[in-house]
Amino acid sequence: MPVASVRPRGHTCGQPARPSPATWQHGRVTAATHSPLFPRVPDSADAVLEGLDPEQREVAIALHGPVCVLAGAGTGKTRAITHRIAYGVRAGILQPSSVLAVTFTHRAAGEMRGRLRQLGATGVQARTFHSAALRQLQYFWPKAVGGPLPRLVDRKIQLVADAAAACRVRLDRGELRDVTAEIEWSKVTQTVPADYPPAVAKAAREAPRDPAEIAQLYAAYEDLKRERGVIDFEDVLLLTVAVLQDRQDIAEQVRAQYQHFVVDEYQDVSPLQQRLLELWLGDRENLCVVGDASQTIYSFTGATPDHLLDFRIKHPGATVVKLVRDYRSTPQVVRLANGLLAQARGRAADHRLELVSQRGPGPDPVFTEYPDEPAEAEGAARRIGELIGAGVRPSEIAVLFRTNSQSETYEQALADAGVPYQLRGAERFFDRPEVRKAGSALRAAARFGGNDSLLDDVVDLPSQVRAVLSGEGWTAQPPAGSGAVRERWESLAALVNLAQDFAAAHPDATLAGLVAELDERAGAQHAPTVQGVTLASLHSAKGLEWDVVFLVGVAEGMMPITYAKTDEQVEEERRLLYVGVTRARERLHVSWSLARSPGGRANRRPSRFLDGLRSGSQAGRAAPAGGGAAGGIERGVSGRATTVLATPQPRRRQRGPARCRVCGRTLTDAGEMKLMRCEDCPSDMDEGVYERLHDWRSEQARRSGQPAFCVFTDKTLMAIAEAVPDDPSGLARIPGVGKRKLDRYGAAVLAICAGGDGAQDKDQD
C-alpha cells in the first residue's frame, strides 16, 4: 500500500493550495476542528474575538440575557460558544467558576475544556448533564437525605434480568436490551410505570413487547433497586431534580455557584434534562443554548427539539443568532444538504437553516447504482483504494450506513481489497455475541448434525443454516421495532444470506465448508486498524467529519428504514441522511443496490430522499413555500424580534423545483437560485454594469458602516448585471431585491443599469 501523503487543509483534492487571507470576509475562518495543536493563547480579551465572522462575534459578545444560537452543520458553533465564554472571562465580565457549560458526551465536554484552555479561560466547568448532576448529588446527598449516596450501577441490564425473573418473564439478551431501553426512555420522559402504556400510545412509539408487560417489568425493576439500595444513570438526574425541588436552600446554594449557563446540542435535551436546567437557572435568564433542529436524530431516546424551537416563546427578549456559513463542506456538498431539507416537512423543517459554503468548489457528489449489495461494497472498496493510492489518508475516509448489520459486507470488501479499517460505535460483526453464538451452533451442527432432529428434513445448505439459526432466534419475518431484537435478527439474517450466497457459488458446499468460510472471514478482519477507514452507523457519526464520505445502502427500506411508519419517523430518517451528507468536507459518494445478492430480484429503488437531487430523477413532491432561514442576529425588544444584521437572504422558493435557465438542472443552492443558473453554466452578465454596481455598493457600505453584503450580495449583483432591468418591476423580480431594498436603492441601481454610476443618489444612507 502506498504511503499516504499529508495534504494541507482548506483546498479541494487535486487543486493547488491557495494562501488563506486573514479576514473572515474571504470565507477562510479557521474551522473549529482544524486548529493547530499548540495555538498561541490570545493576549487580550479583544484578541479572543479575532477571526470570528459577524454572527460568531455576536454570539461571543452577547453575554447577558437569554441567547439562542441556531447553528447549521459545519458553521463553527463550538468555536462560537467557547470564544463567548473565553471573551467573558478574559474581559472580567464572567467569573470562571460561575460558568457551567453542559453537553451530551464526555468527548464533547473534553474538547470544550481543551479549547477554553487554549483561549486562556481556565477554571470553567464543562461537563455532561449527568456528570454535573452527579457531582451535585454526591455533595448535597448527606445534607438532603443523610448517609452516603447509594451505589451507582454501571449497567442496568442485570437488574432488568432479575426483575424479569421475579415477574416470571423470559427475556433473551436482545429482549433485555430492548426492555432496558424502554425503561431509560420512560425515565428521561418522566413517565412512571403505571403511565407507560398510555405514554407509548401517545408518542406513537412501537414497543418491543406488550406495553402492559413492560410496565410490569419497569415497576419490578424500580422495586428491586430500592431493595438493593442502588441507583441507575437516569436516577442521577431524577434525584438531583428532586433535591433541588424539595430543598430551596440547596437550590439557592447551587444557583449562587453557577450564574451563567451554556447548553450545547440543545435539540437533544430530554424533558428531564430540561427540568434540571430550569432548576439550575431559577428565575434568571443568563442562558445560552446552541442547536440545530435539522440534526435531531435521537428522538427514540427521549430527545426533542421542542425546547430549542420554543426558546423564543419562553424567552421573548432573547437574542437569536443564526449561523449558516459552512466552513466544513464544499458548495457541492452543501447544495445537496440544502436540497435534502428543502423537501422536508414538519416543525423542524419549518425552522431549517440554509447553509452557505465558505469553501472553494469541489467535485460534485457521485451517485452510483449497483446490481447487488456485494457489488456495492466492492465498488466502494475499489474507489477507496484508488483514493488512498492518490494520497488520501485512510483516516480521512468514512463509510456510513443505516444499521450496524450492514457493516459485515463492507468489512469483508475492505479486507479483500487490503484496506485497513476501524469500526466506530459498533462491535465487529464476528465479535457480536449473537454471531459468536450462532457460529458455535453451526459448528456443532456441522460436527454432530446427524444426531440433530432439526436437520432431519432439510437437505440443502441454506435450509440447514435456517434450521440451526431458528434455534438462535432467526425467523422468516423480521421482528417489529427498531431495537436490539431487530439488530440481533439482522445479524442472524446476514448469516442466512451468506449461506445462500455461499451455496450459490459452491453447489456442493457443506455445513462444514460454510463454518470454515466463516472462520476465514473472521480471521481476515483482524487487520491493523491504524489509519484505517472508518466504518460507522449514521447515528454514531454525529459530531464527526471526514474529507471523503461514502453513504451506502441509500435505498427504500433502509433509508428511510422499513419500520419508519409515521410522518415524524420518516422525517427523522431524512434528518439522519442530512447528518450523513454534512459529515463530508470534500468528496461525497452516495450509492444503493437493486438487489440483495447477485442474481437476486432487482426490486429495490433509490431512497425517496434523493428524488429531484440526482441526475435523471424527479422531485418527489414540491418543496414547502419559503426557503430555509438565513444567517443573522435578532434581538428581542419588549417581546418583539428585530433583525439587526443578516447574511445573504436566499430567495423564497416557489412550489416546484427551480431549474437552471441554461441547462435545465434542478437548482437547490441559494446562490444559484438567485442567478437562476448553475454556477458553471455560461453567464451573459454585462461586465460594465457589474463593475459599476460593485463600486457603488462599496461606497454605500462605507457610508453606512455595514458589510458590503448588507447592501446587496455578490450573487444579487451578478443577477442584476445579467438581467439589466430597465424598470422597478423588473428589478423587483430579481431574488435578493425585496421591497425595502427596492425603495432604498432602486433608483440608483436602475440608473447604473441605464449607463450611469449611481452617484447622483446622495441620500441613500
Side-chain angles (χ1 to χ4, degrees), residues 159-192:
L159 274 171
V160 176
D162 293 344
C167 295
R168 300 190 178 186
V169 176
R170 294 191 62 181
L171 300 176
D172 63 24
R173 188 174 185 277
E175 292 169 324
L176 280 172
R177 287 170 55 194
D178 282 346
V179 171
T180 300
E182 290 304 294
I183 291 174
E184 291 172 349
W185 175 82
S186 299
K187 298 182 80 164
V188 301
T189 56
Q190 299 177 286
T191 303
V192 298

Side-chain angles (χ1 to χ4, degrees), residues 265-284:
E265 302 289 2
Y266 194 55
Q267 78 278 353
D268 289 334
V269 296
S270 68
L272 180 56
Q273 289 165 331
Q274 176 64 24
R275 180 59 185 143
L276 177 59
L277 179 62
E278 291 168 354
L279 288 166
W280 282 340
L281 276 167
D283 57 2
R284 300 166 301 174

Side-chain angles (χ1 to χ4, degrees), residues 106-125:
H106 291 290
R107 179 186 64 82
E111 180 183 359
M112 193 177 293
R113 288 193 295 270
R115 293 197 193 185
L116 289 170
R117 283 195 300 270
Q118 293 171 1
L119 294 169
T122 57
V124 174
Q125 294 293 311

Side-chain angles (χ1 to χ4, degrees), residues 583-728:
R583 299 310 94 192
R585 298 190 194 107
E586 299 173 356
R587 294 178 182 269
L588 181 64
H589 296 258
V590 183
S591 64
W592 59 91
S593 56
L594 299 177
R596 183 190 60 76
S597 57
R601 185 180 176 188
N603 58 354
R604 294 177 175 176
R605 63 173 294 267
S607 169
R608 71 192 76 170
F609 299 148
L610 301 180
D611 291 348
L613 301 178
R614 57 187 179 87
S615 177
S617 69
Q618 297 297 318
R621 62 171 181 262
I633 302 104
E634 296 176 357
R635 294 193 179 91
V637 179
S638 301
R640 293 179 294 110
T642 59
T643 299
V644 177
L645 174 65
T647 50
Q649 296 282 341
R651 70 172 290 183
R652 297 186 67 82
R653 284 187 172 79
Q654 304 300 316
R655 294 195 176 274
R659 300 191 181 279
C660 174
R661 55 187 167 85
V662 179
C663 70
R665 185 179 66 81
T666 300
L667 302 177
T668 57
D669 178 75
E672 291 186 343
M673 292 177 73
K674 285 188 176 183
L675 298 175
M676 289 307 295
R677 65 171 175 81
C678 301
E679 189 80 38
D680 299 329
C681 283
S683 168
D684 53 357
M685 181 176 69
D686 186 317
E687 296 287 349
V689 170
Y690 180 80
E691 289 300 324
R692 292 196 301 275
L693 285 170
H694 193 277
D695 292 343
W696 167 83
R697 182 185 68 170
S698 298
E699 177 61 19
Q700 287 296 317
R702 185 191 66 77
R703 291 163 60 188
S704 65
Q706 290 184 319
F709 65 77
C710 289
V711 180
F712 284 119
T713 68
D714 288 345
K715 287 292 193 300
T716 300
L717 292 189
M718 292 176 66
I720 294 171
E722 290 183 356
V724 193
D726 56 9
D727 58 41

Side-chain angles (χ1 to χ4, degrees), residues 23 88 120 143 163 170 253 275 332 336 363 460 594 613 631 708 722:
T23 56
K143 178 179 179 180
R170 294 191 62 181
Q253 193 172 341
R275 180 59 185 143
Q332 287 74 14
L336 179 59
D460 62 311
L594 299 177
L613 301 178
E722 290 183 356

